[in-house]
Amino acid sequence: MTDADVIVVGAGPAGLMLAGELGLAGVRALVLERRTQRGEIPKANGLGGQILELLHYRGLLDHFEAACSGPSHPAPQYPFGGVHVDFSSLPYPPLRGLTLPQPELERLLDERARELGAEVRRGQEIVDVAQDETAVTVQVRGADGSYRLRARYLVGCDGGCSTVRDAAGIAFPGTTHPEVNRLGQLTLHESVTRLDDGDVDVPGLGRVHAGAFVRTDRGVFGFGWLTPEVMLLSTTEDETTDLADDVPMTLTELQDSIRHVLGAEFPLGEPRRLSRYTFQARQAERYRDGRVFLAGDAAHLFPATGVGLNAGLLDTVNLAWKLAADLHGWAPPALLDTYHRERHLAGARTLKHTQAQVALRRGQDPAAEALRDVFLELFADEQPLRRVGALIAGTDIRYPLPNPNGHPLTGAFAPDLTLHVDRGTTSLAELTRTARPVLLDLADRPDLRETARPWLDRIDVHTAKADDRPADALLIRPDAHVAWAATPDEPEATAVRGLRDALTDWFGAAR
């Protein structure tokens, strides 16, 4: 007897996203959170990258946009290793962002998880974890004392200091960089003048350029604009601190840091957000230990901003449908192992480019300045600009899936095709809202539809036409990645065999 199908430890964005995805797949999730209430410190200021496309595919993006200051938008600039990458020259920028403070994101994900049947218990601390061949047992300490819970699976979404990871004995190697970053969102002080080009004139300091980093021998200062009324200021100093990232930062602390870095005063207006964080580069050696899994910051920490949420939420979308397949009894034997293989690869890719940013960011000598100048010259060209944009967004990840016909879409995130069907026009995004696997027949291939018939209890089959047809057919997993694609005019024998193998590999034996 179990208390839940899956126990999720941690009610941050990753844990709540996982609970919602599990609920969408018909799985009971119980979320346990040490904090008694949702956090009020906006550790993250928004979402960016591939996760926005996934939210669009779930039909959630409009809802999330309505809760913030505006729709998602192309990122005109993005920090990368101490320089700003300027995408404004591209007609279709490779990176989009959504301004959504983390407390609001958690509220939206919490509501979704509960609507889909999850139970969220706050003020519940995990003390111990044990597993056997059939279930996981957790010892929990709450306001009313200690108790035990059992579930078929346990997922640690409990952050960089994960209790679940430690209890499972999973190593978390890496580096803590000796620097402290302070960030503030503030209104413009009355004594500071905003100039027409976005720069500011500061009494006693002069003109300070927006979007540029000021480097001194004491650290780095930067500022830009979130809106015409709200500034984003940051400092980076080489130091160590005993304060945890979730200990509130004061306006005085930020002022002192700016004064130390610049050697001058920079008057600050009213704060909208103040936060402090350190950078770590760590990745769990494995994301699975038997019936215990890791996702989000419990699995990886990256030494750069703007990528952790994207990676962590995508972890949970990858994992949820695989856990559901196992719990519903149709998962092929090795399906759960693919979670580690795919998402550890994605985490390592993200860790690589954020580590490269550390090397680019931290150097202070003339050689480091020359390196940053060379990078900026490279970013003046479209191809490297798009490549680094895809790196940051995580859109360059292609899972190493079986691909006998060598189709370029296999393993990639499925493109949101405009589709013409009998009832009118739709899109791939609309077909994936239920998180069920989809076989999309784009060439009216009865042979492929007939091949999929024994799997109709667990996949949806749609026939449509696309203006720009990338394949005869696409088999799309619930996480919106292409499991198999038929090349244009692929012979019936090879296409049928390829589809049947892919259906069996990902969605189990036919019934």
Side-chain angles (χ1 to χ4, degrees):
M1 182 68 180
T2 58
D3 301 285
D5 293 327
V6 180
I7 291 176
V8 179
V9 181
L16 294 170
M17 184 74 180
L18 176 61
E21 287 289 296
L22 288 169
L24 194 60
V27 170
R28 296 178 301 141
L30 171 59
V31 183
L32 303 176
E33 168 56 50
R34 177 178 54 83
R35 298 172 299 173
T36 57
Q37 297 183 3
R38 285 196 301 268
E40 295 301 322
I41 298 175
K43 295 181 181 180
N45 187 52
L47 292 172
Q50 189 71 74
I51 189 60
L52 292 181
E53 281 300 301
L54 193 284
L55 292 175
H56 173 53
Y57 280 33
R58 289 293 187 264
L60 296 173
L61 187 56
D62 289 348
H63 180 52
F64 279 38
E65 289 175 336
C68 62
S69 57
S72 61
H73 52 82
Q77 285 190 334
Y78 207 89
F80 186 88
V83 299
H84 276 98
V85 185
D86 188 352
F87 298 111
S88 60
S89 64
L90 300 179
Y92 302 103
L95 186 63
R96 299 185 66 84
L98 178 67
T99 301
L100 185 66
Q102 186 165 327
E104 184 67 7
L105 172 63
E106 291 186 9
R107 181 187 68 80
L108 293 169
L109 292 174
D110 187 294
E111 290 176 356
R112 177 181 184 245
R114 294 176 191 268
E115 288 171 359
L116 291 169
E119 180 184 355
V120 182
R121 297 183 190 175
R122 297 187 177 274
Q124 310 298 308
E125 183 177 5
I126 299 299
V127 178
D128 193 23
V129 176
Q131 61 175 309
D132 54 37
E133 292 182 358
T134 61
V136 182
T137 302
V138 293
Q139 186 75 26
V140 186
R141 181 166 54 225
D144 298 327
S146 297
Y147 60 98
R148 291 185 177 182
L149 294 171
R150 279 176 65 82
R152 294 277 300 281
Y153 291 103
L154 174 71
V155 184
C157 299
D158 50 341
C161 298
S162 171
T163 299
V164 172
R165 187 187 63 237
D166 291 346
I170 299 175
F172 198 44
T175 301
T176 299
H177 295 284
E179 61 185 14
V180 177
N181 301 268
R182 295 178 174 89
L183 188 70
Q185 296 173 13
L186 311 102
T187 59
L188 187 68
H189 191 272
E190 59 184 11
S191 67
V192 178
T193 302
R194 174 172 175 154
L195 305 177
D196 291 342
D197 60 359
D199 294 351
V200 293
D201 185 67
V202 181
L205 186 59
R207 190 183 192 114
V208 181
H209 297 290
F213 291 102
V214 178
R215 296 178 179 275
T216 72
D217 57 4
R218 297 173 298 277
V220 182
F221 168 82
F223 99 91
W225 296 95
L226 283 177
T227 71
E229 295 79 30
V230 180
M231 307 175 70
L232 178 66
L233 298 97
S234 67
T235 64
T236 301
E237 299 178 78
D238 281 356
E239 61 174 297
T240 57
T241 178
D242 294 330
L243 294 175
D245 291 353
D246 57 358
V247 174
M249 186 180 74
T250 64
L251 185 62
T252 299
E253 182 181 338
L254 179 60
Q255 286 177 317
D256 289 345
S257 179
I258 294 173
R259 185 186 306 113
H260 180 251
V261 171
L262 294 180
E265 295 291 336
F266 192 116
L268 303 177
E270 290 297 318
R272 302 288 180 84
R273 169 195 173 190
L274 297 171
S275 60
R276 174 204 319 101
Y277 52 94
T278 55
F279 276 139
Q280 297 188 54
R282 300 184 183 277
Q283 186 175 25
E285 287 189 347
R286 58 190 190 279
Y287 288 9
R288 179 188 185 187
D289 180 73
R291 293 183 171 272
V292 177
F293 295 81
L294 302 176
D297 287 354
H300 41 65
L301 293 172
F302 305 118
T305 58
V307 295
L309 268 181
N310 183 47
L313 296 180
L314 292 174
D315 288 343
T316 67
V317 175
N318 184 290
L319 177 59
W321 75 270
K322 296 172 182 178
L323 288 173
D326 183 85
L327 291 163
H328 291 323
W330 55 259
L335 182 64
L336 289 178
D337 288 333
T338 67
Y339 170 66
H340 167 84
R341 182 164 65 246
E342 294 173 359
R343 292 311 298 168
H344 197 275
L345 177 148
R349 180 73 171 162
T350 305
L351 191 60
K352 175 178 285 189
H353 83 73
T354 53
Q355 285 280 59
Q357 291 189 53
V358 172
L360 193 62
R361 179 180 73 233
R362 286 181 55 78
Q364 301 295 335
D365 60 8
E369 289 290 348
L371 179 62
R372 287 187 284 269
D373 287 344
V374 168
F375 264 75
L376 286 175
E377 288 186 20
L378 291 173
F379 294 157
D381 296 331
E382 180 172 348
Q383 194 278 335
L385 195 56
R386 289 195 176 279
R387 186 172 189 126
V388 78
L391 265 176
I392 298 169
T395 55
D396 65 334
I397 300 297
R398 179 170 275 100
Y399 296 144
L401 309 187
N403 190 12
N405 63 6
H407 197 286
L409 280 179
T410 301
F413 195 86
D416 187 17
L417 303 171
T418 298
L419 303 172
H420 305 286
V421 296
D422 291 341
R423 65 180 186 276
T425 301
T426 184
S427 67
L428 180 60
E430 292 185 10
L431 301 182
T432 58
R433 292 188 176 185
T434 60
R436 277 173 59 88
V438 170
L439 174 63
L440 183 60
D441 177 7
L442 297 172
D444 194 14
R445 297 280 301 257
D447 54 328
L448 300 181
R449 297 196 301 272
E450 183 61 29
T451 300
R453 183 180 298 276
W455 282 269
L456 289 181
D457 62 318
R458 70 202 79 153
I459 73 168
D460 295 333
V461 177
H462 299 276
T463 301
K465 292 182 179 180
D467 295 334
D468 185 14
R469 191 177 81 194
D472 272 10
L474 297 172
L475 180 62
I476 301 165
R477 306 187 323 186
D479 60 355
H481 279 77
V482 177
W484 168 85
T487 57
D489 301 317
E490 184 169 349
E492 178 175 342
T494 58
V496 165
R497 182 169 60 250
L499 175 58
R500 184 182 296 114
D501 289 347
L503 287 164
T504 304
D505 287 347
W506 293 108
F507 310 122
R511 287 182 178 172

